[in-house]
Amino acid sequence: MKYFLLFFLIVSVSYAQTGKIVYSSVLNFGGGQVNKTKNNLFFTKDASIYQPQLKRNNKTEKDQNTKEDAGNNRNVEINIKVGTDEIGNLYYNNLHSRTITCREPIYNNSVLKYYLYDDNASIKWVLLDEFKGISGYNCQKATTTFRGRNYEAWFTSEIPLSFGPWKFSGLPGLILEVYDLTGEVYFSSEHIQIPFKNAESKVQKPSVDTILEHREFIEKSNKASSTVIQAMRARLPKGAKLVSSEIKRNGIELEYEWDTE
Amino acid sequence: MIINCLVLSLSGNFAYSQSLVSGTVSDTLQKPIPYVNVFLKAQNEDGIIAFTTTQENGSYELITDKVGNFELTFSSISFQKKTEVLSLEKGKNYNLNVVLKEETFSLDEVIINSEKAITIKKDTIIFKADAFKKGNEESVEDLLKNIPGITVENDGKIKVGGKEIEKVMIEGDDLFEKGYKTLTKNLDASVINKVEVYEKYSNNRLLKGIEDSDRVALNLTLKNDVKNKLFGSLKPGYGLGFENRYDASANIISFRKKDKFYGFTNFNNVGLETTAALSEMMDSGEGNELGSTAKTQTAASFINLINHKPDVGEERTNFNNAEMASLSDIYTISPKLKLKTIGFLNWDENDFFRKSTDTYFLPTGDFTTTEDYRLYGKTFSGFANTQLTYDKSKTEIIEYSGKYSGNRTRTNTSLQFNSDLSNENLNEDPFTIDQRFKYINKLKANQALLINGYYVHSDNPQNYGNNRFLFEDLFQNDNQIIGVFQESRQALNTAGFDAGLFTRRTNNDLWEAKVGLDYTYNDYNSVFKLDGIDKKPEEFQNNSKYKEFNIFFEPSYRLKLGSVALTGNVHFAKHFNHLEAEDQNLDSSPFFINPKITVDWELNKTNRILSFFKYESKNPSLRSVQNGYVLIQYNRFSKGLENIEPLRSSTFYLNYTLGTILSVFYANTSFIYVKNYDYLGSKSVITPDYTLNELIRLKDKDFISFQTDSNIYLQWLASNIKLKLGYNKQNFQNSVNGNLRKVSSSTFNYGGELRSAFIGPLNFHIGTEWFNSEYKTTIKQKNITNRTFLDIVYQPLEKLNLSLNSSRNYFSNLDKDNNTYYFMDFEGKYQIIKNRLSLSLVGKNLLNTKTFRNINIDDTGIFKSEYQLLPRFLLLKANIRL
C-alpha cells in the first residue's frame, strides 16, 4: 500500500514539472508585414522550447498589386513575407547549460534554409517597483536592454517559472507580457496549462539542421537579407518616389555584443 | 601604519555595505533542487528587489545593498513555496538553507484575457491608442506611425504590411474612401481610443470569409469626450515670379455622434485636374470583389474636340483655372440606418493649343493638311451621391444608392484648317442618374446571396456649330452655305437585375453562380444642318433606337490541386436585340456560351505559370450600330454599321515568372494572342478637306504581344539593372478610299534602367526606352521614339527632401532642330514644425520648354503635332494644420 502511494506521488511530480504556455507575438519591422503568430512554450523541469503554432509550411510570398490613383500615378506595392518550413523557428532553453539553441532560417536567393546556433547571451533584468494586474495575476515590471532594443516585461512570481517567450527568461516568475519600447516587438501570454502531458516529448534539443557559430549565423543572415532588400529597392518602378532611407538591421535583434568590437 | 589601516577599513566598509545571502535548497530527501527561484522582497511589500535561481547543486547566492526587514521566497513549480523572514544589516553575510516540500503546482487552462495593448483576433488586430502614444503626436498619422505594422509614407499613404490600405473608417463609417489622407493628416491623435486593423477585409461585412480578399482597412474608434471638435488644414501655394500662379486648398472635418462631416476646396491654375479629388472619393475599388455585374455605362459624346493629348504629363498642356468644393457627410439615422451623401461642385476654364501637320499616303495619292487649333473651354460640373444602408439583421443588409451627375461645358475654338479660318462652338450638357439597389444575405457561414438591381439614365446632348463650311466637295455648294450645325444626342436607359450565390467550400474551393437579366434602351439622334440653305443632307442624320435584352447564367468554380489553382467559368446568355432605324428594323436573338479557364501553376519556388484561355461572343457596342454619319470632329464624320450580329473572339494568355523579386535574377515574361473571328474595321474616305469613316464587318484579325522584363541585382553596385524587351504585331484589314487592303502594324520596344539603393542620402534612377513602330500596307511607315530619364533624390536631413526629375524625349522622324525635348522638375520640402507647418518649393518645367512636338503614325499617314506648354514656374507652398 505504501509503495503504491509512493509510485503515485512520483508520477504526479513528473507531471507537475511540465506545462504549456501559449504566447501571441506581434512582430513588425519598419513597415513589413505584421507578423502575428501564436507560439507554444513547452517546458520541463530544466528546459523549455518555444515554437510557433504552424499549420503547414508557409511559402515565402511576394504579392504585387498595381493601382492607379487619381493623379494617374502608378502605385506598385510589393509585399514580402518570408515563409517558414513545417517546423519553424525554435528556441530551446537549457537551464543546465545556460544556452539557448536557436533554429532560424536564412533566405538566400529564393531558398529558405534553416540553421542551428547556440546563443549564450544572458539577459540582465532590472526590477522596478511598478505593478499591474493581468487577468488576476499581480505582475511586476522588469526592464532590460537586449541587443538594441529596450524592453519592458511584466512577470508574476505567483507562477514560479523563470521561462518566457522567445529568448526571454530568467525572471523570478513567468513573463506574461513583454514588449519593446518602439512597439515593434510584442509578446503576451494567452493561455497557460500546467501540467501538460506531452511536454516531455516536445522539449527536445533541435539537432537536424546545419550548426553554425552564433556570430557566423548572424553575419550570413545579414548578408543575405541586405542583398534582398537592396535588390528590391533597386527594382522599384519608374516614378516610384525615390526616397533614400537607411537600411537598418531588421528583426528582433538589432545589434550584437560583438558589434562594438 | 595608521594610514594603511584606515584605507583597509574604508575599503572593507565599502565591500561590506552589500550583504550576501547564500545557502542551499534541498528537498525532503536532502537532495539539492536546482532552478528554484529565490527572490527578496521588503516585508509586506509586493516588489521583488533581488532574485536568483539555484545552481545544479541547489546552492544560491543573492547580493543586495538594502537593509531592513525582508522576506526571502523560494519557489519552484514542483515544490511548495517557502518564505523566510530575514533582517538584513549592513555588510553582514547570511546563510540560509531551506528544505522545500514537494507540491504540485497546477494551472488548468488559464486564459489570459485582460485588456492588453494589442489584442489579436482572427483577421483583426486592435491597438489601444494610449499604449502607443509617446506624447509628441499631433495627427492620427503620427499615432499610426507608432503602431507596429503600420507605415505612413511621406505623401501620407498608409500601408499595413507593405500594402496600401483600402480606407480609414471612423467608428465604422467610411467618409473618405481613398481620400483618407485628409483624415489622417488632420485629425488630432488625442481623440483616438482604438486603432483596429482589419485584414482580409471585405467592403461588405457579410462577404467576409466567403470572398478572397487581401485588402486591409483601418477603423478608428473615438474617445467619448471628443465628438464636437473641428479639424482642418490650409495649404496655400503661390507662384514666385511675374506670373500669377497658385495652387491652394483647404479642408475641414467634424465628427459628432450621429453626424460625420468633411469639406474640401481647391483653387489652382497649375494644370491640376480638380476632379481628381472626386474620383479619389468615389473610387470604392470594387474591381476584384464578388458582386454585381451592373454596367457603369454613360451616354457617349459624339463630338470630341481634343482627340489626343501628348504623353508628357497632362498638367503640362492644361492651361487651367479651376475651383472646386466638395462636402461629404454620413448621418446615422438609427443604429441600423445610415445615410451617406457627397456633393461636389467644380468650375474650370481650360485653354489648349495645338498645331498639326498631317501627311497622308493613300492609294489615291498623297497630300498634307495643316491645322492651327486653339481651344477655350468653360466647364461647370456637379455631382451628388446619396447612399442609404440598412443593416436589417446580422445576416442581411439592404443598400440603396443614387448618383446624379451633370456637366455644362461651353467650348469655343479658333481654327485654321489648311487655309480656312473658322470658329467653332460646342455646348455640352450631359446628365446621368444612376440608381442601385443591393440586398445581401449571408445564408450560412460560408455562403452568401447577393441581389442587385439598377437603373441608369444617361443623356448627352451636344450642340455644335462651325461658322465656316469645310465640305465643298461633299455637298453641292452654291456659295450660300455659311457654316454647319449639328445637334446630337445619345440617351441611354439601362435597367437590370441579378442574383449571385457564393459558396466557400470547406476545402476552400469557391463556387459562384450568377443569374440575371438586363435591358438597355439606347436612343441616338443627330441632325446635321448646312447653315445658310437650311438643308439637312441625307445620310448625315441619325434617328435610331437600339434595344438589348439579355438573360444570363454564369457558374464558376475555383479549385486547388496541389500547386495548381484552376478556375473554370462559363457565361451562358440569351440576347434579344432589336434595332429600329428610319429605313429598317433589325432583330437578332443569339445565344452565347462564353467559357474561360484559368490556370495558376506554381511549379516550384522559382517558376510560376499563369495562363488563361477564353472564347467570347458579344454584341456590337451600342455606338457601332448608328446608321447615318455623325460629325465627330470639325472635318471628320463617322458612321456605324447597321448590323447587330455578334462578334466572336478567342484569347490566350501566358505569363511565366522566373525567380522572385527577392532573388538576384528575376524575370517576368508575358505572351498574349487574340484572334477576332469577326470584327468591325474601318472603311474611310480621306480627302484633304474631310474624312468619312464607316464601320464594316470583317473577318480574322490577329494580335500577338510579347513582353519581358529581366532584373539583375548587382550587389557590388547596390543597384538593379533592368532590361525590357517587347514586341507586338497586329494584322487586320481596312478600306481607304475604296481600296480594301491588308494592314500589318508592329511595335518593337527595348530599354534598360539602373536604379540605386544606396544607404546614403543620395539615390538615382536612370533609364531609357526606345519604341520602333511600323505600319505596313502597300507601303511602309516607320517611327522611332525614345524617352530617357534621370531622377535624383537627395535627403541630407530628415526634415529636408530634395528631388529632381528630368527627362528627354526624342523623335527620329522630326526635323533635326526640333526632335529633342528636355524637361526638368524640382521639389524641395522642409519641415519647420513637425506635422504643423512645412514649406515646399516646387519648380515645374525648369528648362522652360515652351512647345512640345511629337509624331504619330498609322496606316494612312504621319501626324506631327506641336503643343503649347505651361511655361516655367516656381511655387512656394505651405502646409498648415489648424
Side-chain angles (χ1 to χ4, degrees):
Chain A
M1 199 61 206
K2 217 175 181 182
Y3 277 108
F4 179 76
L5 200 75
L6 193 69
F7 176 72
F8 181 79
L9 195 77
I10 288 164
V11 169
S12 94
V13 165
S14 74
Y15 268 9
Q17 286 173 323
T18 64
K20 174 189 175 186
I21 293 141
V22 177
Y23 284 99
S24 63
S25 71
V26 183
L27 304 177
N28 122 82
F29 308 114
Q33 174 105 21
V34 192
N35 187 357
K36 53 184 178 92
T37 47
K38 295 260 162 113
N39 303 273
N40 294 331
L41 178 82
F42 296 107
F43 66 87
T44 61
K45 62 182 191 315
D46 54 5
S48 71
I49 193 158
Y50 180 78
Q51 62 180 90
Q53 294 178 355
L54 292 173
K55 285 194 190 82
R56 56 180 184 282
N57 55 332
N58 296 295
K59 271 184 231 127
T60 297
E61 284 171 345
K62 187 209 75 179
D63 171 22
Q64 184 169 334
N65 51 41
T66 306
K67 277 180 195 155
E68 240 170 66
D69 70 12
N72 283 327
N73 300 313
R74 269 178 81 229
N75 299 318
V76 179
E77 293 159 359
I78 298 160
N79 191 4
I80 286 119
K81 192 176 170 188
V82 174
T84 64
D85 64 359
E86 58 283 352
I87 300 167
N89 290 9
L90 298 177
Y91 300 93
Y92 173 79
N93 185 358
N94 187 331
L95 295 179
H96 177 65
S97 62
R98 295 181 189 264
T99 55
I100 302 172
T101 304
C102 308
R103 179 181 191 269
E104 289 180 352
I106 291 178
Y107 187 74
N108 193 3
N109 204 9
S110 295
V111 180
L112 191 74
K113 185 171 172 8
Y114 277 87
Y115 294 90
L116 297 178
Y117 66 87
D118 278 348
D119 190 344
N120 298 313
S122 66
I123 297 176
K124 308 256 183 298
W125 294 102
V126 176
L127 302 186
L128 277 83
D129 204 24
E130 280 180 51
F131 301 89
K132 78 169 179 183
I134 295 178
S135 274
Y137 291 100
N138 187 20
C139 296
Q140 185 171 359
K141 186 178 187 173
T143 62
T144 189
T145 298
F146 181 60
R147 293 191 178 146
R149 291 183 186 273
N150 298 312
Y151 292 98
E152 287 181 4
W154 295 90
F155 70 96
T156 178
S157 60
E158 292 167 34
I159 303 173
L161 288 169
S162 59
F163 299 116
W166 187 61
K167 293 182 181 177
F168 296 113
S169 67
L171 280 164
L174 183 68
I175 298 171
L176 293 187
E177 191 180 18
V178 54
Y179 45 83
D180 92 310
L181 297 181
T182 66
E184 293 180 342
V185 178
Y186 181 86
F187 297 97
S188 73
S189 57
E190 297 278 326
H191 189 251
I192 302 169
Q193 196 176 353
I194 300 170
F196 185 77
K197 249 196 263 176
N198 299 323
E200 290 277 4
S201 66
K202 305 261 186 197
V203 186
Q204 301 291 337
K205 184 174 175 173
S207 57
V208 254
D209 304 283
T210 313
I211 298 169
L212 293 179
E213 284 292 307
H214 185 194
R215 187 169 174 171
E216 203 184 336
F217 172 82
I218 298 302
E219 278 161 5
K220 201 177 167 83
S221 166
N222 284 346
K223 204 177 152 212
S225 63
S226 72
T227 305
V228 166
I229 291 164
Q230 278 186 295
M232 269 169 46
R233 272 168 32 113
R235 279 169 190 174
L236 289 175
K238 161 77 182 146
K241 215 170 180 189
L242 264 166
V243 173
S244 71
S245 63
E246 233 179 298
I247 296 181
K248 279 191 283 183
R249 197 180 258 167
N250 261 350
I252 303 181
E253 296 171 358
L254 302 176
E255 59 185 46
Y256 293 90
E257 295 79 59
W258 56 79
D259 282 353
T260 46
E261 279 170 19
Chain B
M1 194 66 201
I2 290 169
I3 290 168
N4 259 346
C5 211
L6 203 75
V7 171
L8 206 76
S9 80
L10 260 177
S11 69
N13 258 340
F14 180 72
Y16 282 96
S17 75
Q18 291 189 324
S19 311
L20 176 76
V21 185
S22 61
T24 54
V25 181
S26 51
D27 66 11
T28 45
L29 301 170
Q30 295 300 313
K31 273 176 66 186
I33 315 173
Y35 324 127
V36 174
N37 286 324
V38 183
F39 54 87
L40 193 70
K41 285 180 183 182
Q43 212 168 6
N44 302 322
E45 297 268 344
D46 281 335
I48 296 170
I49 52 169
F51 68 96
T52 186
T53 53
T54 57
Q55 306 281 324
E56 303 291 315
N57 60 7
S59 69
Y60 70 93
E61 275 186 10
L62 203 63
I63 293 165
T64 182
D65 54 3
K66 299 274 162 60
V67 291
N69 289 328
F70 292 90
E71 289 171 358
L72 190 66
T73 305
F74 301 85
S75 76
S76 165
I77 191 99
S78 35
F79 295 90
Q80 209 175 59
K81 187 160 104 178
K82 188 164 193 177
T83 301
E84 299 279 338
V85 178
L86 199 61
S87 183
L88 293 180
E89 284 172 38
K90 245 186 196 172
K92 277 201 176 173
N93 289 346
Y94 299 86
N95 192 288
L96 200 68
N97 297 327
V98 296
V99 174
L100 298 183
K101 274 190 221 153
E102 272 148 17
E103 189 190 66
T104 313
F105 180 92
S106 76
L107 283 173
D108 195 27
E109 302 270 336
V110 172
I111 293 162
I112 306 291
N113 57 3
S114 65
E115 186 148 293
K116 289 179 258 181
I118 303 177
T119 311
I120 297 170
K121 293 180 185 168
K122 191 173 182 271
D123 300 332
T124 305
I125 315 175
I126 300 166
F127 299 93
K128 252 195 91 58
D130 286 338
F132 296 92
K133 283 178 189 158
K134 290 176 184 160
N136 58 352
E137 294 78 16
E138 292 281 345
S139 62
V140 168
E141 190 177 280
D142 300 333
L143 170 68
L144 294 178
K145 283 179 185 166
N146 293 346
I147 288 181
I150 300 180
T151 29
V152 183
E153 299 198 339
N154 284 356
D155 60 356
K157 194 178 291 163
I158 299 173
K159 292 185 172 182
V160 174
K163 177 172 294 171
E164 190 183 353
I165 57 164
E166 206 52 25
K167 54 183 162 188
V168 179
M169 293 174 281
I170 289 278
E171 308 244 321
D173 287 334
D174 178 19
L175 194 52
F176 300 90
E177 305 200 2
K178 282 281 180 187
Y180 60 77
K181 289 172 208 169
T182 320
L183 173 72
T184 50
K185 280 189 179 297
N186 292 303
L187 186 61
D188 198 336
S190 64
V191 307
I192 305 298
N193 179 26
K194 283 177 188 165
V195 176
E196 301 176 341
V197 177
Y198 299 142
E199 296 182 316
K200 298 185 184 168
Y201 178 74
S202 285
N203 276 324
N204 195 303
R205 65 175 169 89
L206 299 184
L207 294 181
K208 178 94 185 89
I210 296 170
E211 70 174 343
D212 279 316
S213 165
D214 54 2
R215 292 182 292 270
V216 183
L218 292 187
N219 182 41
L220 307 174
T221 64
L222 300 177
K223 290 186 174 162
N224 282 326
D225 53 343
V226 291
K227 313 227 162 148
N228 239 330
K229 274 189 174 177
L230 280 177
F231 314 93
S233 73
L234 287 177
K235 289 176 198 169
Y238 197 75
L240 299 173
F242 304 111
E243 260 182 293
N244 176 29
R245 293 270 166 221
Y246 54 85
D247 176 13
S249 51
N251 65 57
I252 190 161
I253 311 170
S254 123
F255 300 113
R256 287 184 207 154
K257 185 128 192 122
K258 288 198 150 186
D259 187 33
K260 301 184 177 73
F261 165 89
Y262 165 58
F264 178 72
T265 180
N266 174 273
F267 298 79
N268 86 78
N269 67 353
V270 295
L272 297 175
E273 283 282 354
T274 42
T275 43
L278 177 67
S279 55
E280 221 172 50
M281 275 164 50
M282 286 311 301
D283 171 27
S284 52
E286 286 192 38
N288 50 352
E289 277 173 62
L290 296 181
S292 180
T293 50
K295 297 166 198 157
T296 46
Q297 283 177 326
T298 53
S301 304
F302 286 106
I303 295 198
N304 282 311
L305 294 181
I306 303 173
N307 52 348
H308 57 261
K309 288 190 167 183
D311 185 20
V312 283
E314 192 152 331
E315 75 281 358
R316 291 202 202 277
T317 57
N318 185 18
F319 289 79
N320 75 331
N321 182 6
E323 291 117 52
M324 69 78 85
S326 78
L327 290 178
S328 42
D329 184 90
I330 295 179
Y331 184 72
T332 308
I333 299 166
S334 77
K336 286 186 165 187
L337 193 62
K338 256 175 206 169
L339 177 68
K340 179 174 173 179
T341 52
I342 297 174
F344 179 92
L345 293 174
N346 185 53
W347 292 265
D348 204 354
E349 288 174 71
N350 306 86
D351 291 289
F352 181 74
F353 306 93
R354 181 180 73 200
K355 285 181 190 167
S356 305
T357 307
D358 296 348
T359 307
Y360 291 90
F361 301 102
L362 303 173
T364 50
D366 304 346
F367 59 84
T368 299
T369 65
T370 59
E371 173 205 275
D372 184 349
Y373 210 9
R374 291 155 180 273
L375 290 97
Y376 167 71
K378 258 185 164 175
T379 304
F380 167 66
S381 50
F383 172 86
N385 180 15
T386 56
Q387 187 180 321
L388 200 60
T389 308
Y390 177 53
D391 278 85
K392 189 162 180 273
S393 69
K394 275 198 167 169
T395 57
E396 282 176 288
I397 295 177
I398 298 171
E399 205 174 275
Y400 161 81
S401 79
K403 289 176 195 163
Y404 311 86
S405 64
N407 264 356
R408 190 186 140 90
T409 304
R410 300 287 174 263
T411 312
N412 291 302
T413 73
S414 108
L415 166 71
Q416 181 174 356
F417 179 58
N418 296 333
S419 58
D420 297 318
L421 278 166
S422 66
N423 293 101
E424 299 167 288
N425 62 73
L426 175 66
N427 294 349
E428 299 167 274
D429 299 278
F431 175 66
T432 300
I433 304 178
D434 181 324
Q435 303 196 74
R436 275 154 211 260
F437 168 84
K438 199 188 249 180
Y439 170 75
I440 302 160
N441 190 337
K442 191 165 191 168
L443 304 169
K444 296 179 197 157
N446 63 338
Q447 191 174 58
L449 172 72
L450 260 80
I451 294 174
N452 289 289
Y454 57 93
Y455 169 69
V456 180
H457 168 78
S458 182
D459 192 7
N460 193 348
Q462 290 185 301
N463 286 323
Y464 172 84
N466 190 342
N467 68 356
R468 179 122 193 177
F469 181 63
L470 300 168
F471 311 106
E472 312 260 335
D473 297 342
L474 195 57
F475 307 107
Q476 285 177 336
N477 183 17
D478 34 19
N479 286 328
Q480 288 175 333
I481 305 177
I482 50 169
V484 296
F485 284 113
Q486 180 174 276
E487 283 173 30
S488 62
R489 172 175 220 147
Q490 192 195 154
L492 176 84
N493 287 285
T494 177
F497 173 82
D498 60 68
L501 187 67
F502 304 90
T503 312
R504 170 74 60 187
R505 299 191 44 193
T506 40
N507 58 7
N508 220 25
D509 292 356
L510 180 70
W511 239 121
E512 282 182 52
K514 286 182 208 160
V515 58
L517 44 93
D518 58 65
Y519 176 71
T520 305
Y521 178 82
N522 204 11
D523 194 347
Y524 305 92
N525 243 302
S526 72
V527 177
F528 180 72
K529 265 193 295 195
L530 303 174
D531 194 18
I533 57 168
D534 205 26
K535 195 180 145 193
K536 298 178 188 169
E538 254 183 77
E539 285 190 59
F540 289 80
Q541 317 299 322
N542 274 290
N543 183 11
S544 60
K545 293 172 176 64
Y546 184 38
K547 296 171 192 170
E548 277 184 333
F549 179 73
N550 165 27
I551 178 159
F552 70 90
F553 171 58
E554 188 179 324
S556 82
Y557 192 75
R558 219 194 61 205
L559 83 165
K560 232 180 143 170
L561 295 168
S563 57
V564 184
L566 274 171
T567 311
N569 170 295
V570 192
H571 182 86
F572 300 95
K574 178 73 184 170
H575 291 261
F576 300 94
N577 306 325
H578 177 74
L579 177 69
E580 214 176 292
E582 252 160 30
D583 47 345
Q584 64 169 331
N585 287 349
L586 287 176
D587 283 289
S588 74
S589 52
F591 181 66
F592 296 156
I593 301 176
N594 293 341
K596 180 177 176 184
I597 185 153
T598 309
V599 180
D600 186 349
W601 184 19
E602 237 177 311
L603 284 85
N604 54 38
K605 276 175 184 159
T606 50
N607 292 274
R608 183 175 184 162
I609 291 173
L610 179 76
S611 176
F612 73 78
F613 172 79
K614 69 174 180 182
Y615 174 83
E616 194 178 28
S617 305
K618 61 178 187 189
N619 285 320
S621 73
L622 296 177
R623 274 210 68 182
S624 61
V625 298
Q626 107 231 7
N627 64 331
Y629 282 109
V630 60
L631 192 69
I632 57 167
Q633 267 173 44
Y634 58 85
N635 68 335
R636 196 175 283 260
F637 293 95
S638 162
K639 160 177 160 170
L641 172 74
E642 256 177 286
N643 185 326
I644 53 175
E645 293 305 313
L647 304 166
R648 297 163 303 134
S649 66
S650 299
T651 307
F652 174 72
Y653 171 81
L654 182 72
N655 176 276
Y656 171 66
T657 317
L658 174 65
T660 68
I661 194 140
L662 307 179
S663 45
V664 169
F665 183 76
Y666 164 55
N668 191 345
T669 305
S670 307
F671 172 80
I672 189 162
Y673 175 71
V674 183
K675 171 93 182 172
N676 290 87
Y677 305 105
D678 324 277
Y679 67 101
L680 298 178
S682 83
K683 178 181 169 190
S684 40
V685 174
I686 304 173
T687 76
D689 295 324
Y690 63 86
T691 300
L692 292 179
N693 203 329
E694 70 178 286
L695 296 177
I696 47 171
R697 235 183 127 82
L698 295 164
K699 288 207 176 299
D700 297 327
K701 176 161 101 175
D702 304 295
F703 173 75
I704 63 166
S705 167
F706 168 84
Q707 293 289 336
T708 182
D709 270 12
S710 311
N711 290 275
I712 307 158
Y713 177 70
L714 302 176
Q715 205 172 348
W716 57 274
L717 205 62
S719 299
N720 184 64
I721 293 181
K722 181 181 199 163
L723 298 172
K724 291 199 256 186
L725 192 65
Y727 178 76
N728 64 57
K729 189 176 168 106
Q730 193 169 17
N731 292 311
F732 59 98
Q733 284 184 297
N734 67 14
S735 161
V736 175
N737 292 358
N739 295 272
L740 185 67
R741 64 215 186 134
K742 281 189 177 156
V743 182
S744 149
S745 79
S746 62
T747 313
F748 174 50
N749 61 292
Y750 53 94
E753 286 177 26
L754 182 67
R755 183 169 195 154
S756 74
F758 303 144
I759 294 165
L762 186 74
N763 267 296
F764 70 88
H765 187 193
I766 188 168
T768 187
E769 191 165 16
W770 292 85
F771 294 89
N772 292 9
S773 40
E774 186 181 287
Y775 274 85
K776 210 162 82 184
T777 51
T778 48
I779 52 163
K780 242 189 225 180
Q781 311 272 7
K782 274 192 177 180
N783 189 26
I784 301 173
T785 65
N786 170 257
R787 192 178 130 78
T788 303
F789 66 88
L790 172 65
D791 296 348
I792 298 170
V793 167
Y794 181 57
Q795 188 169 19
L797 303 166
E798 205 189 321
K799 289 177 163 186
L800 183 65
N801 185 304
L802 307 171
S803 63
L804 190 70
N805 299 334
S806 47
S807 66
R808 173 187 182 269
N809 294 270
Y810 166 79
F811 302 92
S812 72
N813 283 16
L814 288 175
D815 57 278
K816 246 187 183 168
D817 299 332
N818 289 316
N819 63 4
T820 313
Y821 295 89
Y822 294 92
F823 293 100
M824 192 180 276
D825 298 329
F826 167 82
E827 185 168 355
K829 197 171 183 180
Y830 184 73
Q831 227 172 40
I832 297 172
I833 307 169
K834 202 178 171 223
N835 304 312
R836 280 270 165 202
L837 181 63
S838 67
L839 280 183
S840 55
L841 183 67
V842 178
K844 290 275 184 191
N845 196 0
L846 294 179
L847 302 173
N848 208 14
T849 306
K850 293 208 166 106
T851 54
F852 176 75
R853 290 176 189 83
N854 70 1
I855 188 158
N856 288 296
I857 61 167
D858 72 11
D859 58 295
T860 60
I862 295 179
F863 313 104
K864 296 179 187 174
S865 299
E866 175 185 320
Y867 302 89
Q868 199 170 321
L869 304 178
L870 260 77
R872 166 172 57 210
F873 64 87
L874 285 173
L875 216 55
L876 184 65
K877 285 169 119 172
N879 188 348
I880 308 153
R881 209 164 70 83
L882 302 174

